[in-house]
Amino acid sequence: MCEWLGAAPRFCEPRRSSAARARSLPPAVSKGEEDPRNRQKELQELIVSAENVECILATVRELEGAIVISTALHRLGKVPVTPQVFKDPRFHLLLDRFRSRLPFFGSRQIANSLHGLGVICYREGGAWVDMVSIQTQRRIHEFEPQHVSNTLWACARMQLQEPLMLRALTSRAIEDIQRFCPLDISICTWAFATMKRREPEWLRAVVRARCDFSDFSPQNMSNFVWGLSTLGFRNDNMVLAVGREASRKIQDFIPQELSNFSWALATMDLCDNLMLRAIAEEVDRRGAEVNTWDPQSLSNMMWAYATLALKDDPLFRRLLDASIERITDHDTQNLANSTWATAMVGFRCSRWLDQAAQAAVRKIRDCQTLHLAQLAFAFSRFCFPGHAHGFLPALLEETLRRVEEFPPQSLFDVHDALRFFDVLPKSTSIERRLTCCFEETLQRLESFARLAANGRPTAAQVSAYQRSVEQSDIVTLGEYWTLQFLKHFGLLCPKNDPFIPDARQRILDFRAEEAAKDPVSRSLFHRAQCAWQLSLGEESSLADGLFESGEPVAGAPAGHGLFVCRLRHTREGDAEVQALCAALDTSILRSGRSPPGLSLNLHLSDVPCVSCLGCTLQFQFRFPGVLRVSFDRGRMLSKDSVPIPRPPPPPSKKGNPIPYAPMPDAPRSDGVDRSMVRKELPQGHADTTSFYLNPLLASRRPNGASKGGEEAVPHKLVRGRNGNQQTYYFSSAPTFFDTEDYESY
């Protein structure tokens, strides 16, 4: 591959003698002879008016100039093209002519040619690739915004990963971003994400550009936010600003754009309440039209709401009804994601489960191991064995056939479901493999717990422990293996201990209180609870309470000598960790010694994760014989859910038709598509260093909800046992942060 170092070289024709220059001049055209230049113009007109590939390829042997060759390549993207065209000798001749004439191509011809090849998704490369990279670098300062965005889009479509060419295009995009229209910004961001090129300077430039998102079309917004999430770049300010404008244009979004937008928010773990509420109500408004949506849009939307832990029963009801209508078109990923999502938000629909079981059995050989694990988890949570379609035997057979292909976590999930339904034979290859995984996890947690019991571990030791646990990618061992873990270390609370039924009732009472305040509270379907009691002897209760997973309120665990790991998300606020910290904060344990007869009981509403098992073990080695743990499987649903109505938004102070959203802008009368209007740079312009920076509103808002002005609707706060907690979410104008929000990612 040719590589240019330093500045892009200029293309200069070699110096020639006068005789040579005379020989290079086109011969004079005699009377009666046709001027070749006229023929090229005719070919240009033929190509522009061509309606099929044959008309274009028929002209290839006569094509000479850069303009007509680039027109031919560009036109290929305008007519139907089949894969057979890539084998046509005339197509390869066109590519050869493209390569040979590239030194004479300008930026427009380069962009148009690559755009045509990108549209037909030609990925076989060839000798032209090196030359187009060189010529792009040569001409980069001539590239207009449209040329840059079209070329990057084509590179993404063709997966054309030429480092120096992409570096030149990226630099040009950053340099000229103030002239970019919304379409250009959207396309460039999408292209970088598709090529998996995380360009920090581009992302910073986008933030600094202070985009006017009201000019973005729905497709621009969807692709832009999708690109940000795929690149792993979260700027709450900017995304909330996009969502605010998207809510104004929500009726113009097509299903894929609605789905992609919600998927992006979930991937970024950003709860844009305004946009998500607008999406849910738009699904309601479209009614029966939703039944025609493609399965991926349906499943991605459910997956997004479940990932963000937003319980919206009317939305899930409509999406599941549409999914049942399109069940034959669902692939295994759509089946698994949809079923998993319903389990995560606790919305049981036996009609969907029956259809999903039948489809899963039919396509069981196509299921990835993750899909099998998701289905197993959901069916066990819903107590739905799928007997009518033989789901469990099919699941067992397929798991045994592919047991070595499973990642440990997926195999633990399937094993847990098979044991729950009591269909797992003894001494299978599943248990043999999981025994090895279990013993490795046990040894990993035990060695660090013994180390921590002998004195505070160093930062390097803590980091090594956390890294080893996180890299194993095991979040939970499931009910059976967790019981084995607790038994092995003498941590399991006896079943007849009177604390267990009392703790269960306290958790149920707590959930009932939360339900009375908010019927869609996350406490009811998402958050785990832990009831705890510290006692001295059988009668004396020293301290007790109930914690819920969320923000830590009993002090950071590291401050109490407990070290957690990040498994899918941070575990500092897990309910059982908070209970352990609360116990360690009591005067009786603060000294570091426990008196005889002291006992600490924990009862968990869900199966504890591996990080929390590690914390219980660290406590056990510091205070041997004090801790006893019991747990339930989690929320189990055996009856179909009765949909809970969506809470109404508060009334608008200005009479907006959508009370919690800004008033939609009146359509502009000029009929101009603002998403394609490019800007002219003002004289003496200066780069800004912040996004809508307002010093009075520069506070950080970590939870994804927002506060704002007169039309603002704050998130609902309810009083819980541990202070204020957020349970249902509305949204309003985003507050704007300072430069650190994007400079330090």
Side-chain angles (χ1 to χ4, degrees):
M1 180 188 298
C2 298
E3 291 191 352
W4 293 98
L5 302 178
R10 295 183 178 182
F11 178 76
C12 300
E13 292 192 8
R15 301 185 67 177
R16 295 176 292 177
S17 65
S18 57
R21 288 198 300 272
R23 287 195 300 272
S24 69
L25 292 174
V29 180
S30 304
K31 248 186 178 182
E33 290 185 13
E34 183 182 1
D35 189 338
R37 290 171 294 188
N38 292 337
R39 179 55 180 163
Q40 294 300 305
K41 290 179 182 178
E42 291 176 5
L43 293 172
Q44 175 87 352
E45 293 173 0
L46 285 172
I47 293 169
V48 169
S49 61
E51 298 294 334
N52 55 63
V53 174
E54 186 59 35
C55 291
I56 298 171
L57 295 183
T59 67
V60 168
R61 298 186 189 282
E62 298 184 74
L63 302 183
E64 296 293 341
I67 293 177
V68 72
I69 291 172
S70 68
T71 302
L73 289 169
H74 186 255
R75 189 63 189 171
L76 286 176
K78 304 291 186 180
V79 299
V81 174
T82 62
Q84 285 72 24
V85 172
F86 300 157
K87 301 176 182 178
D88 193 310
R90 295 172 297 175
F91 176 73
H92 290 283
L93 177 60
L94 177 60
L95 292 179
D96 287 340
R97 290 182 180 271
F98 173 49
R99 180 191 60 78
S100 65
R101 301 298 292 177
L102 262 168
F104 304 99
F105 273 48
S107 60
R108 181 178 180 181
Q109 286 80 43
I110 294 172
N112 286 351
S113 301
L114 293 181
H115 186 272
L117 291 171
V119 172
I120 64 177
C121 209
Y122 182 70
R123 295 183 175 179
E124 296 180 19
W128 58 271
V129 174
D130 288 347
M131 196 63 202
V132 82
S133 175
I134 294 170
Q135 188 65 2
T136 299
Q137 296 171 66
R138 284 173 170 168
R139 300 284 193 178
I140 195 62
H141 293 297
E142 301 172 10
F143 273 64
E144 292 295 317
Q146 184 178 3
H147 304 156
V148 174
S149 60
N150 281 356
T151 304
L152 283 171
W153 178 88
C155 290
R157 286 275 296 175
M158 293 187 285
Q159 286 298 304
L160 199 61
Q161 300 276 5
E162 291 294 310
L164 294 179
M165 176 182 174
L166 292 175
R167 189 188 307 167
L169 289 166
T170 304
S171 297
R172 181 62 176 165
I174 294 168
E175 174 187 281
D176 212 20
I177 193 171
Q178 291 293 346
R179 294 202 297 145
F180 275 32
C181 69
L183 179 62
D184 297 326
I185 292 174
S186 170
I187 287 176
C188 290
T189 306
W190 177 91
F192 288 132
T194 302
M195 291 186 286
K196 296 181 171 53
R197 290 182 64 88
R198 198 172 191 273
E199 298 285 356
E201 291 304 323
W202 165 254
L203 296 170
R204 292 191 180 105
V206 170
V207 176
R208 293 189 183 104
R210 300 178 61 186
C211 301
D212 185 354
F213 294 115
S214 63
D215 289 340
F216 279 56
S217 70
Q219 185 180 24
N220 298 158
M221 296 182 192
S222 176
N223 287 347
F224 178 66
V225 176
W226 178 90
L228 294 177
S229 65
T230 303
L231 291 170
F233 179 74
R234 170 173 166 169
N235 184 292
D236 294 25
N237 260 344
M238 190 164 63
V239 177
L240 286 172
V242 179
R244 186 168 179 80
E245 296 301 331
S247 67
R248 299 173 186 253
K249 302 176 181 178
I250 194 69
Q251 295 187 7
D252 297 327
F253 277 71
I254 64 173
Q256 185 180 4
E257 292 163 358
L258 290 173
S259 176
N260 285 352
F261 205 114
S262 56
W263 177 90
L265 292 173
T267 304
M268 289 187 282
D269 194 26
L270 176 58
C271 187
D272 181 355
N273 312 297
L274 174 62
M275 182 57 181
L276 292 166
R277 172 92 182 205
I279 290 173
E281 293 199 342
E282 181 63 15
V283 171
D284 288 348
R285 191 190 67 81
R286 298 197 184 186
E289 175 199 325
V290 179
N291 294 341
T292 65
W293 288 9
D294 62 284
Q296 186 172 7
S297 294
L298 298 169
S299 63
N300 280 359
M301 193 174 292
M302 285 189 277
W303 177 90
Y305 278 74
T307 300
L308 291 169
L310 288 179
K311 185 174 178 62
D312 192 309
D313 288 0
L315 174 69
F316 272 79
R317 174 77 280 160
R318 286 187 177 274
L319 295 178
L320 284 179
D321 288 344
S323 297
I324 292 170
E325 290 288 325
R326 300 293 305 275
I327 191 66
T328 56
D329 300 322
H330 277 61
D331 61 20
T332 57
Q333 182 179 14
N334 297 332
L335 285 172
N337 281 349
S338 300
T339 310
W340 174 88
T342 60
M344 291 302 291
V345 298
F347 189 83
R348 190 183 192 278
C349 174
S350 56
R351 286 180 59 236
W352 165 253
L353 294 173
D354 184 71
Q355 293 288 326
Q358 184 177 8
V361 170
R362 188 169 61 248
K363 302 177 180 181
I364 195 81
R365 290 296 176 98
D366 298 328
C367 280
Q368 296 180 16
T369 54
L370 175 61
H371 303 159
L372 293 172
Q374 287 176 313
L375 290 167
F377 163 79
F379 278 50
S380 62
R381 175 167 279 200
F382 287 140
C383 307
F384 188 89
H387 286 319
H389 308 291
F391 173 75
L392 291 175
L395 175 65
L396 175 60
E397 179 185 355
E398 190 65 14
T399 305
L400 289 170
R401 188 178 72 86
R402 299 162 59 187
V403 66
E404 295 302 326
E405 299 176 21
F406 276 78
Q409 184 60 68
S410 294
L411 195 59
F412 274 117
D413 290 341
V414 173
H415 176 269
D416 190 64
L418 293 173
R419 287 196 66 92
F420 173 76
F421 289 115
D422 197 23
V423 295
L424 183 68
K426 294 183 178 179
S427 302
T428 65
S429 56
I430 299 173
E431 290 192 314
R432 286 194 293 273
R433 183 170 174 220
L434 288 182
T435 299
C436 296
C437 296
F438 170 76
E439 290 175 350
E440 290 174 2
T441 302
L442 184 148
Q443 182 180 7
R444 193 176 292 121
L445 300 183
E446 181 181 8
S447 61
F448 180 77
R450 289 186 183 279
L451 174 69
N454 296 325
R456 191 174 184 87
T458 65
Q461 291 170 330
V462 172
S463 179
Y465 162 69
Q466 292 172 332
R467 187 166 55 252
S468 67
V469 173
E470 291 163 7
Q471 288 177 348
S472 69
D473 200 26
I474 300 175
V475 178
T476 174
L477 301 175
E479 182 184 32
Y480 173 78
W481 293 103
T482 300
L483 287 172
Q484 302 309 306
F485 181 94
L486 296 175
K487 288 177 182 177
H488 180 83
F489 291 106
L491 287 167
L492 186 65
C493 185
K495 290 183 179 180
N496 59 356
D497 192 310
F499 170 75
I500 295 178
D502 178 64
R504 282 189 180 128
Q505 190 59 50
R506 288 165 63 189
I507 292 173
L508 291 175
D509 291 343
F510 170 79
R511 290 179 178 173
E513 291 176 12
E514 297 303 303
K517 300 171 186 175
D518 185 351
V520 291
S521 167
R522 291 182 179 181
S523 300
L524 303 181
F525 70 96
H526 180 66
R527 295 182 179 130
Q529 291 85 29
C530 172
W532 66 285
Q533 184 179 59
L534 185 66
S535 304
L536 187 60
E538 295 184 0
E539 302 297 331
S540 175
S541 177
L542 302 176
D544 62 7
L546 187 145
F547 284 98
E548 183 177 68
S549 294
E551 292 293 323
V553 296
H560 295 283
L562 300 177
F563 300 95
V564 299
C565 305
R566 183 180 180 86
L567 301 177
R568 308 288 166 85
H569 58 81
T570 182
R571 297 288 171 170
E572 291 182 343
D574 281 8
E576 51 267 50
V577 174
Q578 296 195 56
L580 290 172
C581 290
L584 289 169
D585 205 32
T586 59
S587 58
I588 200 167
L589 288 176
R590 208 175 294 155
S591 63
R593 297 182 180 181
S594 58
L598 185 70
S599 65
L600 173 62
N601 279 66
L602 304 183
H603 181 76
L604 320 176
S605 63
D606 292 82
V607 179
C609 70
V610 170
S611 172
C612 294
L613 289 179
C615 285
T616 60
L617 202 56
Q618 293 163 36
F619 185 98
Q620 169 75 349
F621 278 99
R622 284 168 61 185
F623 303 102
V626 172
L627 183 61
R628 293 291 181 271
V629 180
S630 56
F631 65 91
D632 295 324
R633 278 186 58 86
R635 298 161 178 84
M636 311 293 289
L637 296 174
S638 56
K639 296 181 180 179
D640 282 2
S641 301
V642 177
I644 300 170
R646 187 180 300 122
S652 169
K653 296 178 182 178
K654 295 182 180 178
N656 281 359
I658 308 176
Y660 49 86
M663 180 74 79
D665 291 330
R668 290 172 175 155
S669 58
D670 55 12
V672 176
D673 183 355
R674 301 285 168 185
S675 69
M676 301 184 68
V677 175
R678 294 181 174 85
K679 305 172 185 176
E680 293 299 328
L681 287 179
Q683 291 295 327
H685 81 285
D687 287 340
T688 56
T689 56
S690 64
F691 184 75
Y692 299 153
L693 180 60
N694 183 338
L696 300 178
L697 298 173
S699 59
R700 179 171 294 274
R701 180 193 43 71
N703 65 0
S706 55
K707 301 175 183 179
E710 187 176 1
E711 268 307 297
V713 179
H715 53 272
K716 183 192 291 187
L717 293 176
V718 297
R719 181 69 61 177
R721 296 189 181 205
N722 303 325
N724 284 343
Q725 61 188 52
Q726 186 174 322
T727 62
Y728 195 81
Y729 304 86
F730 297 103
S731 184
S732 56
T735 53
F736 302 120
F737 306 155
D738 56 22
T739 56
E740 293 181 0
D741 187 51
Y742 61 90
E743 292 286 2
S744 60
Y745 70 88

